[in-house]
Amino acid sequence: MNFAQTFTNSIIITVVSVIIIIVFSSMAAYALSRVKSKVSSIIFFVFVAAMLIPFQAVMIPLVSFFGKLGMLNRPGIMFLYLGFGSSMAIFLYHGTINGISRSLDEAAIIDGCNRFQVFWYIIFPILKPITVTVAILNTIWIWNDYLLPSLVINKLGSETIPLKMFFFFGEYTKQWHLALAGLTIAIIPVIIFYFIAQKQIIKGITAGSVK
């Protein structure tokens, strides 16, 4: 199985993808929340509606398109995770930011901050509970995902843990002892991360689900 390399691949893909989703989704939600116009409302509802589209409905044309761009690799799958994970993240961030008073923005601007500084130094720290929630939900999804990596990652040595687990089960043999041992080791990081951040999860979901 080459567990060390496979474990490293899963860590890199999961951590980088979650960071990208948090950064881009929080910034997008802030812009959509603070800029009140018909265009921003339409864009927000498009993101919300995208949560209803199952991956299986678009996977064939999407993978074909990414193949033509030469992005059937680790950077490509991170970009895909951003696309599929940003809808829910923007929805949660948007609800939370709507509950933050605009007077904080105005006070920071009066003190000399630009919009970018207002977000990163004033707004983003307040979003800690929802950020932890988004991180937990996407970490569990990406870490355990099999379908998307099986379609995108086609280079030996770049497989994730769910992909490698598949090789323990063949037509004539099933190596349950090796598979369960590998899975037990693989779930430890997610369990540790969950218990560290669990205090913020319910608070973050409650804050992000209402305006």
Side-chain angles (χ1 to χ4, degrees):
M1 180 178 174
N2 195 359
F3 187 81
Q5 183 179 7
T6 306
F7 187 83
T8 302
N9 291 335
S10 290
I11 286 287
I12 293 174
I13 291 175
T14 301
V15 171
V16 175
S17 298
V18 170
I19 291 174
I20 292 173
I21 290 172
I22 289 173
V23 171
F24 282 88
S25 298
S26 59
M27 294 176 68
Y30 177 71
L32 293 174
S33 175
R34 290 300 190 249
V35 179
K36 295 297 184 181
S37 66
K38 290 184 179 180
V39 175
S40 63
S41 298
I42 292 173
I43 294 175
F44 174 70
F45 283 114
V46 168
F47 276 112
V48 173
M51 292 191 293
L52 304 176
I53 302 175
F55 171 71
Q56 291 81 358
V58 297
M59 64 181 183
I60 295 178
L62 191 63
V63 172
S64 176
F65 177 72
F66 268 67
K68 294 177 182 178
L69 296 177
M71 295 186 67
L72 296 181
N73 46 36
R74 284 199 303 193
I77 196 172
M78 294 173 189
F79 188 81
L80 285 170
Y81 280 133
L82 170 62
F84 286 103
S86 60
S87 296
M88 182 184 65
I90 288 175
F91 173 73
L92 294 174
Y93 274 121
H94 191 272
T96 305
I97 294 172
N98 279 341
I100 299 175
S101 175
R102 290 174 176 266
S103 61
L104 291 177
D105 302 50
E106 296 169 356
I109 291 174
I110 292 173
D111 287 338
C113 293
N114 55 39
R115 280 292 179 182
F116 187 80
Q117 292 172 323
V118 169
F119 174 74
W120 281 112
Y121 296 114
I122 306 299
I123 304 299
F124 191 72
I126 301 176
L127 300 177
K128 179 182 176 181
I130 197 65
T131 298
V132 173
T133 303
V134 170
I136 282 287
L137 296 177
N138 284 286
T139 296
I140 294 174
W141 162 50
I142 296 172
W143 185 266
N144 295 320
D145 188 29
Y146 172 82
L147 182 57
L148 190 55
S150 67
L151 295 171
V152 176
I153 297 178
N154 54 16
K155 182 180 178 182
L156 292 176
S158 298
E159 298 96 337
T160 59
I161 290 176
L163 289 181
K164 281 292 188 179
M165 290 294 113
F166 176 77
F167 293 105
F168 287 125
F169 304 97
E171 184 176 357
Y172 302 106
T173 179
K174 292 178 175 61
Q175 298 174 303
W176 286 102
H177 58 299
L178 297 177
L180 292 176
L183 287 172
T184 301
I185 298 174
I187 65 175
I188 291 176
V190 178
I191 293 176
I192 294 174
F193 181 44
Y194 174 82
F195 279 111
I196 292 175
Q198 64 175 334
K199 293 181 180 179
Q200 304 289 337
I201 295 176
I202 297 177
K203 182 178 179 182
I205 293 177
T206 304
S209 61
V210 296
K211 293 184 178 180

